[in-house]
Structure formats: C-alpha cells, structure tokens
C-alpha cells in the first residue's frame, strides 16, 4: 500500500506506527482532521490478517470519526487507532500502559476511547499512563444510554418528516439487536406506545424484550422483511445492500449500528424506494457526545449531555431537508453536511 497516496485520497493529517517490543504491542494511530479540535475516536483491538488490512481499517474509521464528530457539532476532530493482534493473548495492564505512553507522546493531538475489543477496564489502564482518554467509567460512564436517546430522537425526527407528527404511538418498530443500545431504544419506543418486533441471536436478550415490552419475536430470516413502520438495525454493520433493500417493508430506517449501508449505491436505492434512511453516524452520535463532554466541559454533567444529544433531532431534520433540496440520498446529505462544517471552520 502506498501510504502517502492513501493519506492524500482520504485527507489524513498524520499516521503514527508504533510498537513496544516488551509487551508485543503494534499499533497504528490515524489522525484524520483536527480542524475542529483534537482527534477523537476509539482504539480497536483486532487480529488483522495483514498490516494493509489494519491500515485500511484505521484510515476509513478515522475519516468516519471526522464526519461523525463534525455532524454532532463537537469540538473534536477525527481519529482512530487500531492495535494489531489477538486481544485474548495480549491484553494486560502493562500492555495498555505501553499503549497509553504512545498516546501520551502525541501531546493531546489524539484522544482515545473504547471500541471493539477494548473496554472500560482497558481505558482505566491506559489512563494510568496518559491523560488523553475519553469515556472513563468514573466520569462519563456507559455511553449506551446516550446513544439510545440520540437514536430515539432521530427516529422521532424521521417520523415528523414522514408523517407530519413525531409521535411514535401506534407505529411498529422492528429492532435487530437488543444489546447495550438496542434494548434502551426498544424501551424508549415502547414507553411512547409503539409496537415492537424484535430479533437477536441471543435468545435471552430477545426474551427480555418480549417480557418487558410485549415485543413480538421474529426469526433471523424475517427481521429484514417483516412488515413495520421503522426498521432499527442495532447489531452489526453492512446489513443493507442494493439487493436486500428491495425486500424491506418499512418506511424508515433508524438504528444505532455503524456503517449500516454497504455502499453509497444502497443509499441511492433507498431514496428511489421512498424509504427514509436516518444516517447512522448522525443518529448514533450520543456516545461520542458524552465522551466529548468529559474533556471539553468544565464540569461533566449528564443533563448537559442529554441536551446536546437531543439536538440530534434537529440535525436529522436538517439532513432530511438537505437531501430533499439537493435530490440526493440522506447518506450523501449527511456527508455534505458534516464536511461543510469542517470546511467552514477551516476558512
Ligand atoms: P452490544 O454488543 O451490546 O449489542 C449487540 C447485540 O446485537 C447483541 O445483543 C448481539 O447478540 C446482537 N447481535 C449480534 N449479531 C446479531 C445478528 N446477526 N442479528 C441480530 N442480533 C445480533 O453492542 P451495542 O453497544 O449495543 O452496539 C450495537 C451497535 O451500535 C454496534 O454496531 C456498535 O458499533 C454501534 N454503536 C454503539 C454505540 C454505543 O454507545 N454502545 C455507539 C455508536 C454505535
């Protein structure tokens, strides 16, 4: 891979390759854009098959963080880090001390948080050697309730745009994935009087939603095609592509999962089908909004975070309008909206 060519095409400012032989640490930290503030984004621990794969992942993810942070109007640029290796074999307190020292050496250009295969214990260990962490359990705590709140607000905004009212009572919401975020989303819409259809590969999670919210459990092969008003993907990314969107029986898609659409063509296909897609990184920004508060606000306050998260409602409506005015998909409109904020700040 020609690294500088890749940096040019994605627009990265800096990529750091670092290692610590003693603990077997290999990491790539990508700072995509710091126009709006220090680069913020989690550290992913993954046993990548090749170094190219790791580099590609960190380039793509860090650019995504620039858009996500800008879209949420945060004082954060975009960054991400990957640690290459088997988390089960490598993880230890000393390992994350070594990683923390590398983050610290960047002098605050990059703030890390948890991501796939890194958790709050690891964050605490990093925090022992670097001040540049977000999402410490002692301060901002679990981000999932904030993420769920943001998705719920976006869903209401989508309903407002579609039906003229943001009331979800009587609507049927199909939730795929009832984990840390999906469960709270189901709770929000249930409390508002929506009907639920749910699927999770974890039977306990699914049964809990059936018991607590009167949800109807559907099968793995049904969740994408079941009749509903709103489909809420809250498990994996890349669940929708140009082929399977034709089978959807919903009016709106709004969930917490990252990278829901396989590609830009899927966004265009949804527009053609008349299905409103609420863009993933706009609606699921509650967690990073909570993280940002920890490092930007003079005193962390969950109430203040909730107020910022609630702005996702207006942002979603703005993006839906932009898409309509420009006759583009909402996914493309989200990119244009977020890039616009960065470009304006640059000027
Ligand atoms: P989680 O691991 O707590 O929950 C995921 C749930 O999805 C689990 O219950 C799991 O059993 C289920 N699942 C896995 N594969 C499935 C499948 N094929 N079909 C149906 N269910 C399946 O994760 P989470 O924190 O709730 O995050 C969910 C998604 O939201 C992820 O894509 C994550 O990247 C994204 N996200 C989370 C946050 C956050 O604050 N936690 C913030 C932004 C984005």
């Amino acid at each position: 891979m020609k690294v500088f060519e890749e940096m040019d095409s994605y627009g990265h400012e800096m990529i750091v390759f670092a290692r610590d032989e003693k603990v077997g640490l290999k990491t790539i930290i990508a700072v995509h854009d710091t126009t709006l503030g220090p680069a913020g984004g989690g550290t992913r621990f993954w046993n990548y098959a090749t170094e190219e794969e790791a580099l590609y992942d960190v380039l793509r993810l860090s650019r995504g963080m620039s858009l996500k942070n800008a879209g949420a109007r945060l004082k954060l640029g975009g960054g991400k880090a990957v640690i290459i290796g088997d988390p089960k074999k490598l993880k230890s307190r000393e390992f994350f001390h070594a990683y923390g020292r590398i983050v610290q050496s960047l002098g605050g250009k990059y703030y890390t948080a948890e991501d796939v295969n890194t958790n709050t214990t690891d964050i605490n260990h990093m925090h022992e050697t670097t001040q540049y962490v977000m999402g410490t359990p002692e301060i901002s705590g679990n981000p999932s309730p904030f993420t769920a709140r943001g998705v719920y607000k976006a869903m209401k905004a989508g309903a407002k745009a579609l039906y003229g009212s943001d009331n979800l009572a009587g609507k049927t919401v199909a939730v795929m994935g009832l984990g840390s975020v999906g469960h709270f989303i189901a709770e929000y819409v249930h409390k508002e009087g929506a009907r639920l259809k749910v699927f999770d590969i974890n039977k306990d999670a699914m049964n809990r939603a059936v018991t607590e919210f009167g949800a109807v459990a559907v099968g793995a092969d049904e969740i994408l095609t079941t009749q509903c008003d709103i489909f809420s993907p809250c498990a994996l990314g890349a669940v929708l592509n140009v082929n399977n969107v034709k089978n959807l029986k919903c009016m709106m898609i709004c969930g917490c999962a990252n990278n829901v659409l396989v590609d830009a063509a899927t966004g265009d296909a949804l527009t053609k089908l008349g299905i409103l897609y609420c863009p993933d990184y706009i609606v699921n920004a509650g967690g990073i909004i909570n993280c940002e508060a920890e490092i930007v606000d003079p005193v962390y306050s969950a109430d203040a975070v909730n107020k910022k998260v609630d702005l996702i409602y207006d942002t979603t409506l703005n993006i839906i309008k932009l898409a309509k005015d420009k006759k583009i998909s909402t996914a493309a409109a989200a990119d244009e909206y977020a890039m616009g904020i960065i470009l304006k700040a640059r000027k």
Side-chain angles (χ1 to χ4, degrees):
M1 185 183 270
K2 290 183 177 151
V3 179
F4 279 103
E5 262 178 35
E6 292 295 330
M7 285 177 81
D8 280 348
S9 71
Y10 281 94
H12 279 77
E13 289 179 14
M14 185 171 91
I15 302 179
V16 177
F17 293 80
R19 60 191 275 275
D20 186 298
E21 199 179 358
K22 210 167 138 209
V23 294
L25 166 68
K26 280 188 203 158
T27 181
I28 312 173
I29 300 175
V31 171
H32 177 256
D33 191 288
T34 55
T35 307
L36 301 173
T43 297
R44 181 164 294 194
F45 205 145
W46 197 256
N47 208 357
Y48 292 98
T50 63
E51 287 169 16
E52 282 76 16
E53 204 183 288
L55 181 58
Y56 175 70
D57 212 23
V58 80
L59 289 173
R60 187 180 59 87
L61 293 167
S62 53
R63 181 180 178 276
M65 286 311 298
S66 289
L67 294 175
K68 180 170 185 159
N69 295 341
R73 294 201 165 269
L74 302 183
K75 294 189 186 93
L76 280 181
K80 199 89 180 181
V82 293
I83 295 176
I84 303 168
D86 184 347
K88 285 198 190 92
K89 290 190 188 140
L90 288 169
K91 269 191 181 191
S92 70
R93 188 172 185 172
E94 289 67 36
F95 185 92
F96 287 111
H97 281 176
Y99 177 68
R101 282 192 292 273
I102 293 166
V103 173
Q104 183 68 16
S105 74
L106 301 180
K109 209 167 171 66
Y110 168 66
Y111 276 74
T112 190
E114 64 177 275
D115 197 77
V116 177
N117 288 329
T118 52
N119 56 33
T120 48
T121 308
D122 307 330
I123 288 289
N124 274 340
H125 292 155
M126 294 173 200
H127 205 192
E128 286 165 358
T129 55
T130 181
Q131 76 216 69
Y132 303 119
V133 298
M134 307 181 286
T136 53
E138 297 78 20
I139 305 176
S140 63
N142 179 8
S144 302
F146 297 100
T147 305
R149 186 182 174 107
V151 173
Y152 166 64
K153 295 287 171 178
M155 212 179 260
K156 287 178 74 63
K160 175 86 183 159
L162 270 182
Y163 309 112
S165 158
D166 66 11
N167 192 346
L168 298 175
K171 298 281 182 277
T172 300
V173 182
V175 183
M176 177 186 191
L178 297 147
S180 317
V181 184
H183 181 84
F184 284 118
I185 294 173
E187 185 175 37
Y188 270 118
V189 301
H190 167 68
K191 277 191 180 152
E192 194 166 317
R195 285 187 283 264
L196 278 160
K197 290 183 174 179
V198 293
F199 171 69
D200 194 297
I201 50 168
N202 176 342
K203 289 244 157 41
D204 291 343
M206 192 153 66
N207 291 338
R208 193 176 159 205
V210 171
T211 314
E212 288 184 19
F213 313 133
V216 175
V218 301
D221 49 348
E222 286 172 279
I223 189 71
L224 283 173
T225 56
T226 193
Q227 188 72 51
C228 60
D229 297 290
I230 301 161
F231 171 55
S232 186
C234 297
L236 313 167
V239 284
L240 296 175
N241 57 52
V242 284
N243 296 318
N244 69 6
V245 290
K246 293 175 201 147
N247 305 323
L248 289 167
K249 293 192 192 76
C250 63
M251 293 292 287
M252 189 204 308
I253 297 158
C254 184
C256 67
N258 280 311
N259 305 316
V260 168
L261 310 184
V262 162
D263 51 22
T266 311
D268 295 335
L270 287 169
T271 309
K272 275 197 196 120
L273 288 165
I275 297 174
L276 173 62
Y277 170 65
C278 300
D280 48 10
Y281 68 80
I282 296 293
V283 312
N284 73 13
I288 191 80
I289 292 172
N290 185 44
C291 282
E292 188 235 24
E294 186 174 331
I295 62 166
V296 167
D297 293 355
V299 181
Y300 173 83
S301 141
D303 286 345
V305 173
N306 278 333
K307 283 199 184 109
K308 271 197 221 174
V309 170
D310 290 354
L311 297 177
I312 290 176
Y313 182 98
D314 293 326
T315 306
T316 306
L317 281 178
N318 287 339
I319 286 167
I320 294 169
K321 184 174 182 312
L322 182 66
K324 225 180 206 169
D325 292 348
K326 294 211 154 188
K327 297 188 172 51
I328 55 177
S329 72
T330 48
D335 288 357
E336 203 168 306
Y337 174 84
M339 254 342 269
I341 290 170
I342 297 172
L343 293 176
K344 197 171 163 202
R346 260 187 216 158
K347 276 186 194 156

